[in-house]
Amino acid sequence: DGSTWTEITDMGGNKYQCVNAGTTTAALVGGGVDGYQPPPLTEVEEYNGTSWAEVTDLGAARYSFLQGVGTQTAALAVGGRTPSVTDIVDEYNGASWTSYPALNTGRASGAASGSTTAALAFGGDGPGELGVVETFNGTSWTEDTALNTARSLGGSAFQASNTTSIYFGGNPKRVITEQWNGTSWTETADM
């Protein structure tokens, strides 16, 4: 709540390295693995601010997604592992998952932000750390200006479009922060 953590209703199943989207009162989480090892899961759950409910499964089981894109009723599951690195992208419309145009570069453990019609996918591994950046315009993915420092497992803040974002931390350069302005990445105050 801004000052303390409170445990709330638990999910229906264990999930690690899963796709996520939404807000604190309308969240979506799915895929991943139960524990630290494959096989990957297809199970997806929605949170309504009070409880979790299982909804339609992902079309392809995978884990180590790029971080979530969109809202609970309009989300993308981008990349990941099946257990090999994949370029698969699926779109969720609040009721079911459908196949979306694939990434140009398959990868896992990176970041993504934006919406189902204006997304940004950046960083990751496949194998080795990647600096690859792709923008999505609702129809196709296009390779764009690369990160200054290739890395995976960083964090990003949710953005509603593909014209602004931030990527911080990650492996192997864990203090670096870069900001995207729609055309290029600039290193800003490191953690």
Side-chain angles (χ1 to χ4, degrees):
D1 64 8
S3 60
T4 61
W5 290 95
T6 303
E7 185 173 350
I8 55 176
T9 307
D10 292 341
M11 292 187 296
N14 296 324
K15 292 175 188 61
Y16 175 73
Q17 298 181 356
C18 42
V19 67
N20 59 69
T23 66
T24 58
T25 57
L28 176 74
V29 64
V33 290
D34 180 357
Y36 293 98
Q37 298 297 319
L41 305 170
T42 57
E43 180 183 285
V44 178
E45 295 184 56
E46 287 183 351
Y47 182 68
N48 63 10
T50 304
S51 61
W52 292 93
E54 189 169 343
V55 294
T56 306
D57 286 355
L58 284 166
R62 54 198 204 275
Y63 65 104
S64 291
F65 294 89
L66 277 62
Q67 292 169 351
V69 173
T71 65
Q72 183 187 61
T73 58
L76 295 181
V78 182
R81 295 184 187 283
T82 62
S84 60
V85 172
T86 185
D87 61 0
I88 296 171
V89 178
D90 291 319
E91 185 256 349
Y92 183 66
N93 64 9
S96 62
W97 293 90
T98 56
S99 182
Y100 239 42
L103 292 165
N104 293 301
T105 302
R107 59 199 127 131
S109 304
S113 63
S115 68
T116 57
T117 59
L120 181 69
F122 43 100
D125 66 64
E129 273 49 58
L130 300 172
V132 177
V133 174
E134 295 182 50
T135 54
F136 183 68
N137 62 8
T139 304
S140 62
W141 292 92
T142 303
E143 192 166 328
D144 217 314
T145 308
L147 291 164
N148 293 303
T149 303
R151 59 198 189 277
S152 63
L153 300 170
S156 67
F158 174 77
Q159 299 295 326
S161 77
N162 61 6
T163 59
T164 181
S165 198
I166 189 169
Y167 192 39
F168 46 90
N171 181 42
K173 309 284 185 190
R174 297 201 168 120
V175 299
I176 292 174
T177 301
E178 293 187 54
Q179 186 168 3
W180 172 250
N181 65 8
T183 56
S184 62
W185 292 90
T186 303
E187 188 170 343
T188 60
D190 291 341
M191 294 186 294

